[in-house]
Amino acid sequence: MDKKLIVANWKMLPNTLAEAQEILELVNDYLESIGEKKEFSLVFCPPFVFLEGVGRILKNSHLAHGSFLGAQDIAIDDGGALTGEVSGPMLRKLGVEYVIIGHSERRWKLAESDEMINKKLKSALRNELIPIVCIGEKSRDSSFKEFLEQQIETTFKDLSSDEIGKCIIAYEPVWAISTNPGAKPDTSANALESISIIREHLNLKFKIKNLKFLYGGSVNSQNISDFIKEKEINGVLVGGASVNKEEFVRVLRHIT
Ligand code: 13P
């Protein structure tokens, strides 16, 4: 069985590198305690300002084996005048290997356009970073299937099958994200249905079959087993529970 991929999207938390270190130390202690029995790989996606520090901590601990650094965003261009942005080459120099693209908080709260997301995806691929591409409907109403299909087409516009094959797709229904009003986790049955819709559409449009899928949206220690037990779900994208150090270790305990 392939190792499951657990991606910790810390969003705009924690507030200090010292707090980030505490999370990593607890995870490190847990990994040390289970030794070779680890059935997962980890990706930590801290805020930009902590990438260097977190990268250093990962390198100098047990986390060096099977833990990777991820960014939450990337600039559309590799250099030049783009105030406030962080480029792919900069991320590479910091040891970043993954980058989250098209997160719903960027799509809806920061009005990131489909065109921008598509450019960021191209930027990640150009810089040989593994894109974790977020796809998800705002509400599971009668048109959610069309919504997903439309989002796929704009997000992956003009990409080759080879390029799309390098992406990991995170199915993240917006309504299931813990900080959104009335949020509740999706059921694994719904998640599997959506993943199958996404897979079929990508196959129809771009002839791609073997993609890896994550589920994200209120994943915690109570529900992770429901998702991770499915062979079509290759891992999870965890928000809130990944910055609560005790809860994050409880999440990991369910995978080993
Ligand atoms: P929560 O796990 O807090 O619902 O966040 C999910 C998410 O947005 C991860 O990218």
Side-chain angles (χ1 to χ4, degrees):
M1 189 184 70
D2 268 2
K3 283 191 174 171
K4 300 284 181 177
L5 186 66
I6 312 302
V7 182
N9 176 11
W10 286 354
K11 307 192 181 186
M12 206 165 65
L13 291 164
N15 288 321
T16 64
L17 182 61
E19 287 170 77
Q21 179 151 13
E22 284 177 22
I23 299 170
L24 296 170
E25 278 173 1
L26 206 66
V27 176
N28 182 57
D29 291 349
Y30 173 61
L31 295 186
E32 244 170 18
S33 75
I34 59 170
E36 299 296 305
K37 287 183 285 177
K38 188 159 78 66
E39 296 291 346
F40 55 85
S41 301
L42 286 163
V43 179
F44 291 97
C45 304
F48 281 136
V49 286
F50 301 141
L51 275 172
E52 189 171 11
V54 166
R56 211 176 24 244
I57 296 167
L58 294 186
K59 249 194 237 149
N60 297 321
S61 69
H62 219 78
L63 294 164
H65 310 285
S67 299
F68 305 93
L69 197 55
Q72 297 176 18
D73 195 15
I74 186 171
I76 55 171
D77 291 334
D78 290 351
L82 270 181
T83 303
E85 292 296 287
V86 178
S87 73
M90 290 171 182
L91 296 175
R92 287 287 308 237
K93 279 190 203 112
L94 290 174
V96 169
E97 292 182 62
Y98 292 78
V99 60
I100 298 173
I101 305 280
H103 193 281
S104 59
E105 284 149 14
R106 300 203 63 85
R107 288 182 193 266
W108 312 119
K109 289 190 184 167
L110 299 169
E112 198 162 278
S113 67
D114 290 336
E115 190 192 5
M116 191 67 82
I117 290 164
N118 179 257
K119 283 187 180 165
K120 289 183 174 185
L121 178 50
K122 289 174 182 160
S123 169
L125 289 164
R126 192 169 58 241
N127 286 286
E128 297 181 351
L129 295 160
I130 300 172
I132 299 172
V133 183
C134 299
I135 298 287
E137 75 277 8
K138 273 172 142 172
S139 63
R140 202 174 179 89
D141 53 22
S142 57
S143 59
F144 90 95
K145 182 171 184 275
E146 288 72 31
F147 186 99
L148 290 177
E149 291 174 349
Q150 173 68 29
Q151 205 176 57
I152 290 166
E153 288 182 32
T154 54
T155 301
F156 294 104
K157 190 164 176 282
D158 301 328
L159 290 185
S160 69
S161 306
D162 272 1
E163 287 172 320
I164 301 174
K166 292 178 182 157
C167 299
I168 295 172
I169 314 287
Y171 170 60
E172 258 204 355
V174 182
W175 51 269
I177 293 179
S178 65
T179 43
N180 288 341
K184 56 176 172 16
D186 204 350
T187 60
S188 57
N190 270 354
L192 286 177
E193 185 192 7
S194 302
I195 286 172
S196 143
I197 290 168
I198 298 169
R199 195 192 295 281
E200 272 170 34
H201 200 67
L202 281 167
N203 192 21
L204 182 80
K205 287 277 160 181
F206 305 98
K207 306 273 169 282
I208 307 179
K209 281 196 178 123
N210 297 320
L211 279 167
K212 283 198 180 350
F213 283 87
L214 310 179
Y215 167 74
S218 294
V219 171
N220 57 34
S221 59
Q222 306 293 309
N223 59 32
I224 181 154
S225 306
D226 296 344
F227 297 104
I228 223 78
K229 70 177 191 318
E230 305 292 349
K231 71 172 185 333
E232 294 85 354
I233 299 181
N234 307 97
V236 284
L237 180 53
V238 189
S242 72
V243 277
N244 173 336
K245 54 185 191 295
E246 289 85 10
E247 173 63 359
F248 192 51
V249 169
R250 279 195 292 273
V251 165
L252 299 180
R253 280 186 196 283
H254 285 272
I255 313 165
T256 35

